[in-house]
PDB file of all heavy atoms in Angstrom:
ATOM      1  N   PRO A1141     114.190 141.283  84.737  1.00 67.00           N
ATOM      2  CA  PRO A1141     112.917 140.690  85.268  1.00 67.00           C
ATOM      3  C   PRO A1141     112.942 139.171  85.247  1.00 67.00           C
ATOM      4  O   PRO A1141     112.457 138.534  86.167  1.00 67.00           O
ATOM      5  CB  PRO A1141     111.873 141.259  84.328  1.00 67.00           C
ATOM      6  CG  PRO A1141     112.465 142.494  83.760  1.00 67.00           C
ATOM      7  CD  PRO A1141     113.914 142.219  83.640  1.00 67.00           C
ATOM      8  N   SER A1229      60.179  48.579 155.449  1.00 97.00           N
ATOM      9  CA  SER A1229      60.884  47.332 155.803  1.00 97.00           C
ATOM     10  C   SER A1229      62.368  47.631 155.911  1.00 97.00           C
ATOM     11  O   SER A1229      62.943  48.261 155.010  1.00 97.00           O
ATOM     12  CB  SER A1229      60.611  46.260 154.773  1.00 97.00           C
ATOM     13  OG  SER A1229      61.547  45.214 154.840  1.00 97.00           O
ATOM     14  N   SER A1309      70.487  49.964 161.833  1.00 97.00           N
ATOM     15  CA  SER A1309      70.928  50.605 163.086  1.00 97.00           C
ATOM     16  C   SER A1309      69.852  50.502 164.163  1.00 97.00           C
ATOM     17  O   SER A1309      68.659  50.633 163.880  1.00 97.00           O
ATOM     18  CB  SER A1309      71.273  52.075 162.822  1.00 97.00           C
ATOM     19  OG  SER A1309      71.557  52.753 164.018  1.00 97.00           O
ATOM     20  N   ILE A1384      72.137  65.841 152.220  1.00 98.00           N
ATOM     21  CA  ILE A1384      70.923  66.569 151.842  1.00 98.00           C
ATOM     22  C   ILE A1384      69.777  65.583 152.047  1.00 98.00           C
ATOM     23  O   ILE A1384      69.791  64.478 151.504  1.00 98.00           O
ATOM     24  CB  ILE A1384      70.951  67.019 150.332  1.00 98.00           C
ATOM     25  CG1 ILE A1384      72.190  67.848 150.062  1.00 98.00           C
ATOM     26  CG2 ILE A1384      69.675  67.783 150.004  1.00 98.00           C
ATOM     27  CD1 ILE A1384      72.374  68.180 148.627  1.00 98.00           C
ATOM     28  N   GLY A1398      53.340  57.534 158.524  1.00 97.00           N
ATOM     29  CA  GLY A1398      54.676  57.914 158.910  1.00 97.00           C
ATOM     30  C   GLY A1398      55.381  58.678 157.794  1.00 97.00           C
ATOM     31  O   GLY A1398      54.717  59.133 156.827  1.00 97.00           O
TER      32      GLY A1398
END
Side-chain angles (χ1 to χ4, degrees):
S1229 162
S1309 174
I1384 304 173

